[in-house]
Amino acid sequence: MDISWDDARLFLAIAETGSFSGAARRLRIGQPTVSRRLAALEYAVGASLFRRGVEGAALTAAGERLVVPAKKMAEWAGELHRAAESADSSPRGIVRVTATPFMSFDFVAPFAAFVAQKHPGLRLEVHSQIQYLDLGRGEADLALRGRLPTSADLKLVDTLEVPNSVFVSKALKARLPKKVTLQQLPWVAWGPPFESVPPNPQLESMIPGFAPSFTADNYLVMLAAAEAGLGAMVMARMAHRFTRPTQLVPLDLDLGPFSRSQTHLVCAKSALDIPRVRRVSELLLEEFRRIRVGR
């Protein structure tokens, strides 16, 4: 029997999200459509691929056997898509950039406005999220990440290193002791399900009994809390020409081994063959250069 790429993508979406609703959100289709198409796929295969339960969809033995071939199919589909697009010599269309919530808000969004002004035919689609998208499968074109790529299918384009600082509102700073310590500060930090996202683990290692005064699962909510004086946040001091006005000010505190952070520009190896992706990558490299020299 033949399994189409659409069916393989549906199968992978359920397997990786663990639910029909998660697959529907990833594929941007309705949940009834997911159920209907999976039922047709299971009928064609002649076996149940998932066990349905209150906790979601778990792979059966038959489903487990399909995971690796489906992932390979996804990678080749991404490669085929990039090969087809590389034939277009003009830098126009949508470039999908995935980045952390901080980087998306602070840098990528205003950078997108700069790109649109410089190249009216280019448009950035920003995926602001904690989880990493699969660049090899074509889920995004470029990524700004905190970790180096480990897959042989990915290319490290450049790395930007910047200092980190502790930021508080001006009102909170006025209430703090002149020589405040990390232990004395109220903290704004990531809440469930992102407790393991930096800087939480780093703060836990430096502050015995670390207990934030405010937590949230959304970066903008955390930022609003810090600006309202609820607590301190650790953020990168990335001075760029798109820097927005802020109510937060840095404190003179030593973060030890966590005083610097890196942002890696990553893509699939063949992604830069696509003119629009290559052009956005070049513009990002230029901004990285400007940040390094302080312009």
Side-chain angles (χ1 to χ4, degrees):
M1 63 160 295
D2 292 330
I3 297 179
S4 70
W5 164 231
D6 283 341
D7 287 339
R9 183 167 57 174
L10 175 83
F11 167 77
L12 274 178
I14 301 171
E16 292 175 347
T17 63
S19 69
F20 286 20
S21 59
R25 287 191 296 272
R26 175 182 288 190
L27 300 177
R28 300 180 182 180
I29 58 177
Q31 190 169 329
T33 303
V34 172
S35 300
R36 184 177 66 253
R37 286 175 51 188
L38 177 63
L41 175 60
E42 290 179 324
Y43 178 81
V45 172
S48 294
L49 302 177
F50 295 94
R51 293 187 299 274
R52 286 77 159 173
V54 292
E55 296 183 354
L59 286 162
T60 63
E64 291 279 4
R65 290 194 293 271
L66 293 184
V67 170
V68 172
K71 286 183 176 180
K72 290 181 178 178
M73 191 174 185
E75 291 168 0
W76 278 107
E79 190 66 25
L80 179 64
H81 180 72
R82 288 188 290 272
E85 291 198 322
S86 65
D88 185 354
S89 61
S90 59
R92 61 185 180 185
I94 297 174
V95 176
R96 296 160 301 161
V97 179
T98 179
T100 63
F102 166 76
M103 184 65 75
S104 297
F105 174 75
D106 181 72
F107 175 73
V108 182
F111 169 75
F114 166 74
V115 172
Q117 183 178 19
K118 193 174 184 67
H119 294 283
L122 281 176
R123 179 165 70 86
L124 265 60
E125 178 181 285
V126 181
H127 296 262
S128 169
Q129 58 190 85
I130 299 297
Q131 300 88 349
Y132 283 4
L133 296 182
D134 194 323
L135 301 178
R137 296 186 197 172
E139 292 180 354
D141 300 306
L142 296 168
L144 294 168
R145 295 177 169 173
R147 294 201 301 265
L148 288 166
T150 56
S151 171
D153 297 329
L154 301 183
K155 173 184 177 66
L156 175 63
V157 182
D158 196 14
T159 296
L160 177 67
E161 184 172 287
V162 297
N164 294 325
S165 289
V166 177
F167 287 85
V168 297
S169 69
K170 294 177 182 178
L172 177 56
K173 183 178 180 180
R175 301 196 303 267
L176 295 173
K178 288 187 177 180
K179 294 185 177 180
V180 68
T181 66
L182 294 175
Q183 291 80 3
Q184 292 172 310
L185 285 172
W187 288 97
V188 172
W190 286 105
F194 302 127
E195 305 100 313
S196 61
V197 173
N200 283 31
Q202 290 79 6
L203 292 173
E204 289 171 0
S205 70
M206 293 187 293
I207 303 173
F210 176 67
S213 60
F214 179 87
T215 60
D217 64 351
N218 182 287
Y219 170 75
L220 291 182
V221 174
M222 292 164 61
L223 184 63
E227 290 180 337
L230 268 175
M233 286 181 69
V234 175
M235 294 187 292
R237 296 187 71 169
M238 195 174 78
H240 51 79
R241 56 175 164 165
F242 312 122
T243 300
R244 56 185 283 275
T246 178
Q247 301 176 41
L248 301 179
V249 293
L251 297 179
D252 185 17
L253 286 170
D254 183 13
L255 290 171
F258 313 116
S259 61
R260 301 188 70 80
S261 59
Q262 293 183 329
T263 296
H264 307 288
L265 176 58
V266 182
C267 66
K269 283 188 173 179
S270 58
L272 298 184
D273 293 336
I274 303 172
R276 67 174 183 273
V277 177
R278 182 171 63 250
R279 184 57 185 137
V280 172
S281 175
E282 291 168 348
L283 293 173
L284 282 170
L285 290 176
E286 174 60 20
E287 293 308 316
F288 279 16
R289 186 193 68 80
R290 293 174 66 97
I291 293 169
R292 288 189 185 102
V293 299
R295 292 175 56 191

